[in-house]
Amino acid sequence: MSGALKDAIRVERPAKTLRELALDKVREAIVNGYFRPGDRLVERDLCAQLGVSRTVVREVLRHLESEGLVANLPNKGPIVAQLDIEEAKQIYEIRGALEGMAARLCAERRSPEIVAALEESLAGIRNSYRDNDMAAVLTNTSSFYHTLFTMVDRNVAWGVVNLLTVRINHLRSMTIKTERRGIEGPLQMSKIVDAIRRGDGEGAYRAAMDHVAAASAIAEAVLSAKKPADQARAKP
C-alpha cells in the first residue's frame, strides 16, 4: 500500500478527548456563572446536559475538585465551591508579587517587541469590553500576562500563575463585570505598559501592584456581598 493511500485512510486523533471537552464546558460554566457557588452538581443531570457518560462526569468533577472549583460535601455530593475571601486575598498577594516582578523585568528589558505585544492584548481587552464579550476579556487578559512573564523568560513564575489561573479567572469573571471596571481596569493596565515603554522598572512594579490591589478590593467587596446568598444556596 502506498504512503499516500495510508495517509488518506488514517484516522486523525481529535485535538481533545471527550473528557477534556466536557471538562472545558463545565469549567467554563462555573467561571461564567452558569453554575453558581453552592449549586449542586448532580451527575445524572450533567450526563444529560453534556451528552457524556457518568464515568466522564465523575472524572470531570474530580478534576475540578483538584482545581478548587468543586467541593464534595458529606451527604450532599459535589457542589460549586464557594469562593473564600481569605483564599482570594492570598491569590491576589501571589499575583501581585509575581506580576510586579515580571513588569519590572519587562521595563528593564527595554524591548519594543514586549511593548507591542502588551499593547495588542490591551487593545483586545478594550474591544472586548466594548462588545460586552466577557469571555474575550478573560482570554485577552490571560494573553497580556502570558506576554508579561514569558517574554522575560520567567516561565517558572508563569507556571505558578497557570496553576492558579482557573481560580484567578473565577475571580476575574466577577470583578470585570463590576461598574466602571471596563474603563478602570484597562486604564490601570495601560499604566503598566507606559512604565515598561519608559524603561521605568519601579514604576512598572508599582503600576502592576496597584492594578492587583484594585482588583483584590473589588473581589473582596463582591464576595462579601455574595456570601449570605451563597450560604443559603448551599443549604440542603
Side-chain angles (χ1 to χ4, degrees), residues 21-227:
L21 291 169
L23 175 61
D24 288 346
K25 288 292 184 181
V26 180
R27 184 192 289 122
E28 181 181 341
I30 293 173
V31 170
N32 291 337
Y34 179 80
F35 295 130
R36 296 165 57 190
D39 280 353
R40 291 187 63 202
L41 298 170
V42 181
E43 289 181 3
R44 180 182 62 255
D45 294 343
L46 287 173
C47 290
Q49 290 172 307
L50 296 167
V52 298
S53 70
R54 183 161 289 192
T55 298
V56 170
V57 166
R58 286 174 178 168
E59 290 175 354
V60 166
L61 293 176
R62 281 197 294 268
H63 189 104
L64 292 174
E65 188 176 357
S66 73
E67 291 181 349
L69 290 183
V70 168
N72 210 329
L73 302 184
N75 303 319
K76 187 168 184 180
I79 66 166
V80 177
Q82 312 222 25
L83 292 167
D84 180 82
I85 292 176
E86 288 305 315
E87 184 180 64
K89 285 180 180 178
Q90 291 182 43
I91 289 172
Y92 281 111
E93 285 173 0
I94 295 170
R95 270 192 61 191
L98 295 179
E99 290 170 18
M101 173 200 70
R104 186 196 297 275
L105 291 171
C106 283
E108 293 172 352
R109 186 69 61 93
R110 294 179 180 270
S111 166
E113 289 79 15
I114 292 176
V115 174
L118 291 173
E119 286 182 332
E120 182 179 354
S121 295
L122 188 52
I125 292 169
R126 288 194 171 105
N127 291 337
S128 300
Y129 269 119
R130 182 198 62 208
D131 297 337
N132 199 32
D133 186 346
M134 295 299 107
V137 171
L138 292 177
T139 298
N140 284 295
T141 301
S142 293
S143 175
F144 182 94
Y145 289 109
H146 179 265
T147 295
L148 202 69
F149 284 95
T150 60
M151 291 193 77
V152 288
D153 303 318
R154 287 308 182 267
N155 295 301
V156 173
W158 176 243
V160 172
V161 172
N162 263 333
L163 290 174
L164 295 172
T165 291
V166 174
R167 296 186 193 187
I168 289 171
N169 276 346
H170 200 181
L171 293 166
R172 279 185 185 141
S173 70
M174 296 185 304
T175 61
I176 63 177
K177 296 173 185 175
T178 56
E179 187 177 1
R180 292 190 56 79
R181 192 58 180 165
I183 298 172
E184 294 171 355
L187 181 61
Q188 292 160 5
M189 296 171 81
S190 71
K191 291 180 180 179
I192 300 172
V193 178
D194 289 343
I196 291 172
R197 184 186 293 106
R198 296 194 306 269
D200 179 1
E202 181 61 24
Y205 174 84
R206 282 284 135 218
M209 293 291 287
D210 288 345
H211 177 56
V212 172
S216 180
I218 293 171
E220 184 175 351
V222 172
L223 290 174
S224 295
K226 284 168 60 69
K227 192 172 182 180

